[in-house]
Amino acid sequence: MSSSWNSVGLEVLYQVLGWVAFFAWSFSFYPQVILNYKRKSVVGLNFDFLVLNFTKHSSYLIYNAAMFFSPFIQRQYHEKYGDKEMIPVAANDVAFSLHAVALTAFTVFQVFIYERGIQKVSKVCISITAIVWTAAIVCLIIAWPKSDWLWLIDVFNSIQVGMTAIKYIPQAIMNFRRKSTIGWSIGNILLDLTGGVLNFGQMGVQSIDQHTLVNFYGNIGKTLLSLETVFFDVLFIIQHYVLYPAKKDENDDFPVLPIEVKHVAAQ
């Protein structure tokens, strides 16, 4: 039998933080989608980021859905961490993952219908993605005979942690090389940062109520996700407002960048 909440107030706070984080993280996808639509262009949005992001969210969805809906995996979790420990995945985690996969897929669709200049997915990104999914299939084959499903979904959780650390790097490098963040929505980053902070706060509330830190290392993926998100979002905020501030509001006016000029000249 899993543990129950000791404080009704903390349980309510946990749910509130979780769902506010869900809405912040979910809405964080829309500024980029809207920006692409307004500009009819995805120039400035790194395609490696999109591919890695889709891999990350797909892996996280597998972990969250399996942990939340499977009694068998929940039993394995309790056998490993103790019967009194609460399952570290909430309904808002599953809802967020479903939404994230859908919106990331839609953003990929925009790449095919809008102006994209000379941008393309790098060979490095393709190689990383192929290696990750091949490793996941191998792990599935290993886990199947012993029904070690908790270990398998922990692998997917580790994948999403790795992808979270990697996926932001191409965009940060692109911003640095272009000396601009035009085409990369800052609204996305501000909402993403809000979600990351609230997600970490939600885990803290559960720890306070249960008087244990198990939910932090029992779902290390969620813990690292929040920390990685905050780190990279702060980096993007510095790039956007300090290092490469736009002269005009990128949502109202979209100056032509060198990379776009190069593409037009080639035509």
Side-chain angles (χ1 to χ4, degrees):
M1 181 71 68
S2 62
S3 177
S4 59
W5 285 89
N6 297 311
S7 168
V8 175
L10 289 177
E11 181 180 7
V12 172
L13 179 59
Y14 173 87
Q15 293 295 338
V16 170
L17 289 176
W19 284 107
V20 174
F22 161 75
F23 284 111
W25 263 344
S26 295
F27 288 146
S28 72
F29 289 89
Y30 289 95
Q32 186 67 57
V33 170
I34 295 172
L35 184 60
N36 295 342
Y37 171 76
K38 286 183 175 180
R39 299 172 73 229
K40 297 297 186 292
S41 170
V42 291
V43 173
L45 173 60
N46 190 275
F47 296 171
D48 287 3
F49 167 79
L50 280 180
V51 172
L52 296 173
N53 203 30
F54 187 79
T55 298
K56 168 258 180 358
H57 286 303
S58 298
S59 302
Y60 200 36
L61 173 59
I62 292 172
Y63 172 81
N64 283 332
M67 178 67 81
F68 188 77
F69 291 111
S70 173
F72 184 81
I73 293 178
Q74 292 177 3
R75 184 165 63 251
Q76 289 185 334
Y77 180 87
H78 287 138
E79 288 173 355
K80 181 176 181 179
Y81 294 106
D83 291 339
K84 295 183 178 181
E85 297 303 329
M86 299 179 70
I87 297 301
V89 173
N92 64 274
D93 295 319
V94 180
F96 164 72
S97 294
L98 282 168
H99 183 270
V101 170
L103 264 292
T104 303
F106 184 78
T107 308
V108 171
F109 170 71
Q110 289 185 312
V111 169
F112 290 97
I113 64 175
Y114 293 144
E115 168 63 34
R116 56 181 178 272
I118 60 174
Q119 295 175 207
K120 60 182 180 179
V121 179
S122 72
K123 293 181 179 179
V124 173
C125 176
I126 294 174
S127 298
I128 291 174
T129 304
I131 291 172
V132 165
W133 285 111
T134 299
I137 293 173
V138 171
C139 290
L140 172 61
I141 295 173
I142 294 173
W144 194 292
K146 298 181 180 180
S147 297
D148 197 357
W149 304 123
L150 178 63
W151 173 77
L152 179 62
I153 67 169
D154 280 340
V155 169
F156 281 102
N157 204 11
S158 297
I159 289 174
Q160 75 90 9
V161 171
M163 290 298 99
T164 301
I166 295 173
K167 72 174 186 176
Y168 290 112
I169 296 175
Q171 185 68 56
I173 293 175
M174 175 182 277
N175 294 344
F176 169 75
R177 288 176 176 174
R178 296 166 76 234
K179 297 297 184 289
S180 172
T181 59
I182 294 176
W184 172 245
S185 174
I186 192 61
N188 167 26
I189 297 305
L190 296 176
L191 288 168
D192 194 43
L193 176 61
T194 301
V197 172
L198 293 176
N199 189 60
F200 196 79
Q202 183 189 34
M203 299 180 73
V205 168
Q206 182 175 331
S207 291
I208 293 173
D209 180 83
Q210 299 294 301
H211 307 293
T212 177
L213 296 176
V214 169
N215 68 300
F216 278 102
Y217 60 80
N219 188 358
I220 190 65
K222 187 174 181 179
T223 303
L224 293 178
L225 169 63
S226 297
L227 295 176
E228 290 171 337
T229 296
V230 170
F231 173 80
F232 280 102
D233 286 344
V234 169
L235 171 62
F236 285 124
I237 288 172
I238 292 174
Q239 284 187 321
H240 183 81
Y241 290 110
V242 180
L243 299 179
Y244 321 121
K247 295 181 179 179
K248 296 182 179 181
D249 188 347
E250 63 183 38
N251 289 318
D252 296 327
D253 191 29
F254 310 105
V256 178
L257 297 171
I259 189 172
E260 294 172 299
V261 172
K262 180 178 179 181
H263 176 68
V264 172
Q267 292 181 325

